[in-house]
Amino acid sequence: MILTVTLNPAIDVTYYLDTLVRNSGLRVDRVLERAGGKGVNVARVAAACGADVCATGLAGGRRGEQLRAGLGIRDEFCSIEGETRQTVNIVETGRTGLPTELREPGPAVTAAEWDRFTDRFSALAAGADVVTMSGSLPPGVPAGAYATLTAVTRSVSTARVIVDTGGEALRLACAAGPDLVKPNEGELLAATSTEGGRLHRVLSGASSLRELGASAVVVSLGRSGSVAVTPDGRWRVSHDALTGGNPVGAGDALVAGLALDAGLPAGALLQAGPGLQAGAGSDWPGALKRASGLAMASVLAASAGEVDPAIAERCAGTIRIRKLT
Ligand SMILES: Nc1ncnc2c1ncn2[C@@H]1O[C@H](COP(=O)(O)OP(=O)(O)OP(=O)(O)O)[C@@H](O)[C@H]1O
Ligand SMILES: [Mg+2]
């Protein structure tokens, strides 16, 4: 079972309009509202690929109920007093640029609510093969939350742990020894201090996260693909850049793909033994190809957390992987 953790989920509201003009009144052509949050996207993509998935996290108020009702995944969210946030995405249909995202901080979480959650999490993690932890932390949840949950997972199971976040939460999580972390370029650079050209900065930033304690690091670079720094070597993943799609949630699809490879009995990474730090027989290029295919398919899908597995497979066939020496 893949257990996804979303501590700061959201109701995602997407406004479609021709062009965003500041300081003006704009007509919105279409509004889409759905349960969101990075871990929820991971859960949806993994479920679309046929995995057994369970979603947990914190949800509260009217939007919390809306989120849980619209989940479509086994719901193990914990209730909190505060109101779950909403996230506004503005997609400019008259342009092919990146969407504009407005992210609220999220509800305040009390110490008692956080304690209740960690108890519930411990029971769920005991039955998991893979645990993914994604996104920002709401106010009140300690910065070391993902480190704590990684340690809890280690104490109750042999599940692989994948963390997708940035900044201080990422640095602290690494120290708890997750199997894999997946920051995007901005998140990596916010957590590490490196200099030089783009690839050099990414590689040395990723290496410094491994020095902190993460076993493997995959840094996603948007349309430029990704870089993996693992105990078995380093790889550069590249593919065609897609224009006009919706890149929000592509990183979540990448995480879902890596979780599938870590969780499926047929997954090459699992065959190689506990942890993703597999020795001989580990198939990072294969895993990266499959996961990147899902990421590309998510760009081609209408909204975050959606993928067509058949399209993902076709995309995976176009991905180029180069081992870095
Ligand atoms: N325009 C694009 N064309 C092709 N592939 C893309 C594009 N944007 C993203 N991808 C694929 O998706 C992966 C993840 O994208 P990105 O680095 O944008 O993740 P992210 O910033 O974590 O996204 P999010 O947090 O919204 O899920 C990339 O490594 C790449 O393989
Ligand atoms: Mg991301």
Side-chain angles (χ1 to χ4, degrees), residues 259-284:
L260 287 165
D261 245 283
L264 290 173
L269 299 176
L270 186 72
Q271 284 168 12
L276 289 169
Q277 65 272 46
S282 67
D283 181 20
W284 280 102

Side-chain angles (χ1 to χ4, degrees), residues 38 41 98 101 103 164 182-187 218-227 237-255 288 291-299 304 319:
K38 297 195 172 300
N41 295 338
L98 295 174
E101 281 184 70
R103 301 185 190 136
D164 176 4
K182 201 263 356 126
N184 63 24
E185 195 171 2
E187 289 160 347
V218 173
V219 184
S220 64
L221 307 171
R223 63 175 58 203
S224 305
S226 56
V227 165
V237 182
S238 31
H239 49 61
D240 293 342
L242 302 166
T243 49
N246 176 12
V248 175
D252 306 328
L254 190 68
V255 168
L288 290 165
S292 305
L294 280 171
M296 288 180 80
S298 122
V299 176
I319 284 154

Side-chain angles (χ1 to χ4, degrees), residues 61-248:
R62 187 185 52 79
R63 287 201 205 103
E65 278 169 32
Q66 190 185 345
L67 177 107
R68 299 175 73 165
L71 212 51
I73 305 278
R74 183 178 146 201
D75 167 21
E76 292 287 352
F77 270 80
C78 280
S79 295
I80 55 168
E81 272 298 308
E83 177 82 25
T84 289
R85 64 187 176 149
Q86 74 172 358
T87 298
V88 175
N89 301 305
I90 301 168
V91 177
E92 296 168 274
T93 49
R95 301 170 49 156
T96 53
L98 295 174
T100 304
E101 281 184 70
L102 304 178
R103 301 185 190 136
E104 297 180 13
V109 177
T110 65
E113 287 170 334
W114 173 241
D115 285 349
R116 240 191 346 265
F117 173 77
T118 52
D119 287 347
R120 168 83 72 91
F121 172 81
S122 173
L124 293 167
D129 301 299
V130 184
V131 179
T132 69
M133 307 175 190
S134 306
S136 64
L137 304 174
V141 168
Y146 291 144
T148 302
L149 298 183
T150 301
V152 169
T153 305
R154 297 288 185 237
S155 70
V156 296
S157 81
T158 57
R160 312 289 146 50
V161 175
I162 303 179
V163 179
D164 176 4
T165 191
E168 186 62 4
L170 173 61
R171 291 180 61 83
L172 293 171
C174 286
D179 296 281
L180 176 68
V181 296
K182 201 263 356 126
N184 63 24
E185 195 171 2
E187 289 160 347
L188 175 77
L189 298 180
T192 57
S193 56
T194 56
E195 287 175 5
R198 188 184 191 193
L199 187 60
H200 182 266
R201 288 176 75 185
V202 167
L203 286 170
S204 60
S207 298
S208 67
L209 294 185
R210 290 199 63 225
E211 275 157 29
L212 285 175
S215 177
V217 182
V218 173
V219 184
S220 64
L221 307 171
R223 63 175 58 203
S224 305
S226 56
V227 165
V229 179
T230 82
D232 305 316
R234 309 185 300 176
W235 285 272
R236 175 77 178 93
V237 182
S238 31
H239 49 61
D240 293 342
L242 302 166
T243 49
N246 176 12
V248 175

